[in-house]
């Protein structure tokens, strides 16, 4: 372990020696922990980070970019395409999965702070009858898509699951997966790795102590993926497994179609090296980033960077001109990721996030600021779109594929209630489409309501296990012409009972 003298000399070179100002007062255990945290910080990189953060926060806003919608030929649609084209995309996606050429990569470095919990968001239960967590839903979708691809092509196949965690989420996530037997996935095919952490910085360029013995650290954003891929030789592992296509997604979307064969097939048949799923914006001011062309290259523009006038622009058919909302759901070729990690990652410009960062004052007292006092520098996973040779976007229906979980139930949207409702409403629609009929408590038929307002609860509770159906397929043999009362929990046991 590095000595105090070594660490102090390195901090002096970085202009951050204040991080050891309480060292003499610490007990041996906290002293060792602080040195262990500081030792890996390279002096030149730490100085550049702190000075760069302060300079970026003080910089005047850049002039508005030259925005254009994505060219129509670069945008596909799951709902507006004819059924035969969609079947071709799906068939190609399943073919690639059956050939073991597809991996999924989960971005899971964030905590559930806004949800009001201290553990990783993937461990959260939104209140489904099954009590499944986000992690379990995603694991079971992987198992089902492997099964579907294998049945189509008469083979056994594997979709490796790479999970990018952070200092905050790696330990709890690894423990959770072990406690749940990796949700019956082969542990060798679940690869967890950790993204880098960066110190939070004051507006005058000083790293912040959150305790006398602890630097205020934060993950380097989901765009830290590209450094983490190199740090942990993840792309080499993918190459060894024969993976050519990597589906990257965020942990918090309860409706995410993991390793979606339709999206994969669309991107492959388009010859794309980089693809993004998008949803149509609900209203001009919706706080979601926009996938568009910025200064001639594909990029995501944050909603705060769009003027109200630009956000309200309409097409001749009346739809919003800028309506391709970012879902943090992307497909990359492994070759593209290799080029990014080798050549383009250093060119990514960090984004400034002004935050209220708890800190200790000169006397060592903990202060919880009421106003932003610090800077966290983040890179975003979509920052690499600009480097793609062949970028495509794929529009999907929000009610089928996008319901993010970001807030506690005290918020009006993107909360556990809206996520639970979105999933149960989707499963109710699937059951109706498969020919199920529902009865009330007295045995009277309930009216079919396939289209419900977003805030409305479905008339019955219906949950369908991902192990039974990935996207609504294969339900007719169990449900057609049958009558059910609420709740209908269609899991593997119930399917065996209903099998003709």
């Amino acid at each position: 372990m590095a000595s105090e003298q070594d660490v102090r000399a390195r901090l002096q070179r970085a202009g951050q020696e204040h991080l050891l100002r309480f060292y003499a007062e610490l007990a041996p255990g906290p002293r060792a922990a602080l040195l262990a945290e500081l030792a890996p910080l390279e002096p030149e990189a730490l100085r550049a980070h702190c000075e760069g953060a302060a300079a970026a926060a003080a910089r005047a806003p850049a002039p508005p970019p030259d925005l254009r919608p994505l060219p129509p030929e670069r945008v596909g649609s799951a709902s507006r395409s004819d059924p035969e084209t969609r079947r071709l995309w799906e068939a190609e996606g399943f073919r690639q999965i059956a050939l073991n050429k597809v991996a999924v990569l989960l971005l899971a470095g964030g905590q559930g702070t806004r949800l009001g919990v201290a553990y990783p968001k993937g461990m959260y239960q939104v209140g489904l009858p099954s009590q499944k967590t986000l992690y379990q839903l995603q694991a079971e979708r992987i198992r089902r898509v492997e099964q579907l691809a294998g049945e189509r092509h008469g083979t056994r196949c594997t979709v490796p699951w790479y999970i990018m965690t952070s200092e905050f989420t790696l330990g709890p996530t690894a423990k959770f997966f072990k406690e749940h037997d990796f949700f019956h996935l082969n542990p060798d095919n679940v690869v967890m790795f950790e993204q880098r952490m960066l110190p939070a910085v004051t507006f005058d360029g000083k790293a912040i102590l959150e305790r006398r013995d602890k630097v205020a650290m934060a993950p380097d954003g989901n765009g830290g993926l590209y450094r983490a891929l190199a740090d942990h030789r993840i792309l080499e592992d993918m190459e060894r497994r024969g993976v050519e296509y990597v589906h990257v997604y965020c942990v918090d979307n309860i409706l995410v179609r993991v390793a979606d064969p339709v999206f994969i097939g669309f991107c492959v048949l388009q010859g794309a090296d980089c693809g993004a799923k998008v949803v149509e914006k609900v209203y001009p001011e919706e706080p979601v980033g926009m996938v568009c062309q910025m200064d001639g290259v594909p990029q995501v523009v944050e909603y705060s960077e769009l003027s109200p006038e630009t956000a309200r622009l309409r097409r001749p058919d009346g739809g919003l001109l800028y309506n391709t909302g970012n879902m943090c759901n992307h497909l990359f070729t492994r070759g593209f990721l290799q080029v990014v990690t080798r050549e383009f990652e250093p060119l990514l410009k960090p984004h400034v996030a002004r935050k209220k960062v708890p800190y200790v004052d000169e006397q060592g007292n903990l202060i919880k600021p009421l106003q932003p006092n610090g800077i966290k520098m983040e890179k975003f996973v979509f920052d690499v779109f600009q480097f793609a040779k062949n970028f495509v976007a794929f529009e999907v229906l929000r009610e089928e594929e996008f319901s993010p979980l970001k807030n506690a139930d005290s918020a009006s949207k993107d909360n556990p209630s809206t996520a639970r409702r979105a999933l149960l409403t989707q499963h109710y629609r699937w059951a109706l489409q498969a020919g199920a009929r529902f009865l009330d408590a007295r045995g009277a038929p309930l009216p079919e309501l396939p289209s419900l307002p977003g805030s409305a609860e479905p008339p019955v509770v219906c949950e369908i296990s991902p192990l039974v159906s990935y996207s609504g397929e294969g339900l007719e043999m169990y449900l057609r012409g049958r009558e059910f009362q609420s709740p209908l929990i269609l899991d593997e046991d119930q399917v065996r009972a209903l099998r003709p």
Side-chain angles (χ1 to χ4, degrees), residues 29-210:
R31 280 187 178 187
L34 180 59
L35 292 180
E37 181 177 52
L38 294 171
L41 300 176
E42 291 294 335
E44 290 74 21
L46 180 59
R47 176 183 287 277
H49 167 69
C50 294
E51 292 178 352
R59 198 174 295 134
D66 175 30
L67 291 184
R68 296 281 188 278
L70 289 172
E73 65 271 15
R74 288 288 160 209
V75 183
S77 173
S79 60
R80 289 197 284 268
S81 301
D82 63 88
E84 181 55 30
T85 298
R86 184 183 166 87
R87 278 194 292 271
L88 286 172
W89 292 337
E90 184 180 58
E92 179 61 24
F94 275 129
R95 189 177 78 87
Q96 297 295 337
I97 293 168
L99 290 169
N100 296 305
K101 290 189 175 183
V102 175
V104 293
L105 197 156
L106 167 61
L107 304 173
Q111 294 169 290
T113 310
R114 284 164 60 186
L115 274 172
V117 298
Y119 51 80
K121 216 184 270 189
M123 293 163 53
Y124 195 85
Q125 293 183 25
V126 300
L128 297 173
S130 66
Q131 298 187 322
K132 290 178 181 177
T133 60
L134 297 179
Y135 282 149
Q136 183 170 353
L137 291 170
Q138 293 165 23
E140 291 182 354
R141 287 173 189 148
I142 291 172
R143 289 173 59 193
R144 176 65 177 169
V145 85
E146 288 175 339
Q147 178 190 358
L148 291 170
E151 288 174 353
R152 280 194 177 216
H153 292 273
T155 186
R156 290 179 62 87
C157 57
T158 298
V159 176
W161 195 8
Y162 297 88
I163 303 176
M164 185 177 79
T165 63
S166 68
E167 176 185 294
F168 302 132
T169 63
L170 177 58
T173 296
K175 182 171 181 283
F176 190 74
F177 271 66
K178 288 175 184 174
E179 288 172 349
H180 291 83
D181 194 26
F182 286 79
F183 307 105
H184 303 287
L185 292 166
N186 184 338
D188 292 340
N189 297 325
V190 181
V191 180
M192 298 183 194
F193 62 103
E194 197 172 341
Q195 70 184 113
R196 293 188 186 185
M197 304 287 284
L198 294 172
V201 181
T202 63
F203 294 117
D204 59 355
K206 296 296 183 183
I208 297 174
L209 277 176
E210 65 178 34

Side-chain angles (χ1 to χ4, degrees), residues 1-21:
M1 187 179 76
S3 68
E4 176 204 352
Q5 185 176 1
D6 290 339
V7 171
R8 193 176 294 277
R10 291 158 67 86
L11 291 176
Q12 283 176 334
R13 282 160 51 199
Q16 304 293 323
E17 191 182 359
H18 65 284
L19 296 175
L20 285 175
R21 67 177 181 266

Side-chain angles (χ1 to χ4, degrees), residues 3 39 52 85-86 88 96 138 172 184 262 324 334 339 381 394 411 417 484 498:
S3 68
T85 298
R86 184 183 166 87
L88 286 172
Q96 297 295 337
Q138 293 165 23
H184 303 287
V262 178
T324 45
R334 179 174 55 81
V339 173
V381 68
F394 190 64
S417 294
F484 302 92
L498 291 172

Side-chain angles (χ1 to χ4, degrees), residues 282-293:
V282 177
Y283 54 93
E285 296 80 20
E286 184 183 8
V288 60
M290 297 303 307
V291 183
C292 58
Q293 290 216 144

Side-chain angles (χ1 to χ4, degrees), residues 286-486:
E286 184 183 8
V288 60
M290 297 303 307
V291 183
C292 58
Q293 290 216 144
M294 185 165 65
D295 296 329
V297 295
Q299 192 54 284
V300 173
V301 179
E302 288 299 291
Y303 63 91
S304 57
E305 297 172 355
L306 274 182
S307 71
E309 296 76 21
T310 301
R312 287 194 290 265
L313 289 173
R314 299 275 174 179
R315 302 189 306 259
D317 65 3
L320 290 172
L321 182 64
Y322 294 99
N323 72 338
T324 45
N326 179 44
M327 296 169 56
C328 195
N329 190 316
H330 314 305
L331 189 81
F332 302 113
T333 63
R334 179 174 55 81
F336 176 69
L337 291 174
Q338 286 173 324
V339 173
V340 167
T341 57
R342 281 199 310 262
E343 300 177 24
F344 296 130
E345 196 284 330
L347 305 179
L348 300 179
K349 294 179 181 177
H351 301 259
V352 175
R354 293 170 175 81
K355 301 282 188 178
K356 291 180 281 190
V357 183
Y359 67 99
V360 290
D361 63 15
E362 292 299 322
Q363 288 71 47
N365 302 310
L366 176 64
I367 307 295
K368 295 185 176 180
L370 300 177
Q371 301 295 327
N373 65 312
I375 307 156
K376 293 183 179 179
M377 299 294 281
E378 301 174 326
K379 294 179 180 179
F380 296 149
V381 68
F382 56 70
D383 288 337
V384 301
F385 290 0
Q386 60 187 304
F387 305 121
K389 292 181 178 177
N390 190 4
F391 175 85
V392 294
F394 190 64
E395 185 181 85
V396 297
L397 293 174
R398 183 182 295 253
E399 60 266 28
E400 288 294 334
E401 297 202 35
F402 189 53
S403 182
L405 175 63
K406 297 188 178 298
N407 307 308
D409 261 327
S410 55
S412 61
K413 60 183 180 179
D414 298 343
N415 60 44
S417 294
T418 60
R420 179 180 64 253
R421 189 161 57 236
L423 189 70
L424 295 180
T425 300
Q426 180 190 63
H427 291 181
Y428 168 68
R429 282 196 308 272
W430 289 357
L432 290 181
Q433 290 162 7
R437 295 192 296 268
F438 290 97
L439 309 176
D440 65 17
R442 295 184 299 276
L446 285 167
E448 295 186 2
L449 301 171
S451 297
L452 291 167
S455 59
E457 295 285 347
V460 296
V461 172
C462 175
E463 184 183 354
I464 300 172
S465 168
L467 297 172
V468 172
S469 185
Y470 176 84
S471 58
E473 81 292 333
L475 297 174
E476 291 83 358
M477 72 174 77
Y478 312 117
L479 303 182
R480 184 169 300 284
R482 297 191 185 213
E483 295 177 333
F484 302 92
Q485 288 180 313
S486 182

